[in-house]
Amino acid sequence: MFRREEGGGPDRRRRTGRTVARRPVTVKVSVLKQDKDTYSSPMDIAVTCTIVVPYNLDPAQFLQALREKVPNLPPQFDLCRLVGHHRTFVALTSLCPSEIRPGNALGRSNLYIRPKGAAPPPPQSEPVSHPQPLPGPSRVVPQVEV
């Protein structure tokens, strides 16, 4: 690659390609099992998937795309990201890809979907009953004298 005689950098052709408005955005999405403020282990996550959405979606279209592409999505939820060493969830104020990606609102975090409201209580198991000994002759253990 040689420099032009007039000086300056190498002779480059202008790239033609996608414009910013048509660029798709890839987001890794994790759905939490319950409404929590901190992340403790991978057991807190119900589903993780990667979705690709158009860059120029408005908030209503982005929420609709999430509902279509993410399995087990709760009816009401907050969009969050994970912050710091304390692993605390912080709700996002922007709800569309054009505001989330360029401002690096997610950082290195996934997009977490935290269900709103109380989670259904875990199913309670019935108390375990121990079998009673059957009536009948009892077994006598002979004692050995020493």
Side-chain angles (χ1 to χ4, degrees):
M1 193 183 275
F2 298 103
R3 292 186 179 268
R4 295 183 305 203
E5 289 181 16
E6 303 93 44
D11 193 17
R12 297 184 185 178
R13 286 187 270 153
R14 183 175 177 181
R15 291 184 184 178
T16 58
R18 297 179 183 173
T19 62
V20 173
R22 289 185 273 158
R23 180 180 59 196
V25 176
T26 302
V27 180
K28 190 171 180 181
V29 180
S30 296
V31 179
L32 298 173
K33 290 180 181 176
Q34 56 186 330
D35 186 5
K36 296 179 75 172
D37 291 332
T38 57
Y39 176 81
S40 56
S41 75
M43 298 299 292
D44 294 341
I45 297 173
V47 174
T48 298
C49 63
T50 302
I51 64 169
V52 178
V53 293
Y55 180 82
N56 57 351
L57 291 181
D58 62 27
Q61 292 172 330
F62 183 56
L63 291 176
Q64 182 62 32
L66 285 174
R67 291 189 195 287
E68 292 172 359
K69 296 180 179 186
V70 178
N72 301 332
L73 197 67
Q76 295 182 352
F77 57 87
D78 288 327
L79 295 177
C80 302
R81 74 181 191 108
L82 206 55
V83 177
H85 298 289
H86 300 290
R87 297 181 167 201
T88 306
F89 290 112
V90 175
L92 295 174
T93 55
S94 57
L95 297 177
C96 55
S98 62
E99 295 173 5
I100 290 173
R101 272 296 167 206
N104 203 16
L106 289 179
R108 294 175 59 192
S109 176
N110 289 2
L111 177 66
Y112 288 93
I113 295 179
R114 180 174 58 184
K116 284 186 180 178
Q124 295 185 4
S125 61
E126 295 180 18
V128 177
S129 61
H130 296 287
Q132 298 295 325
L134 296 173
S138 62
R139 184 173 162 197
V140 178
V141 178
Q143 294 195 7
V144 178
E145 293 181 19
V146 184

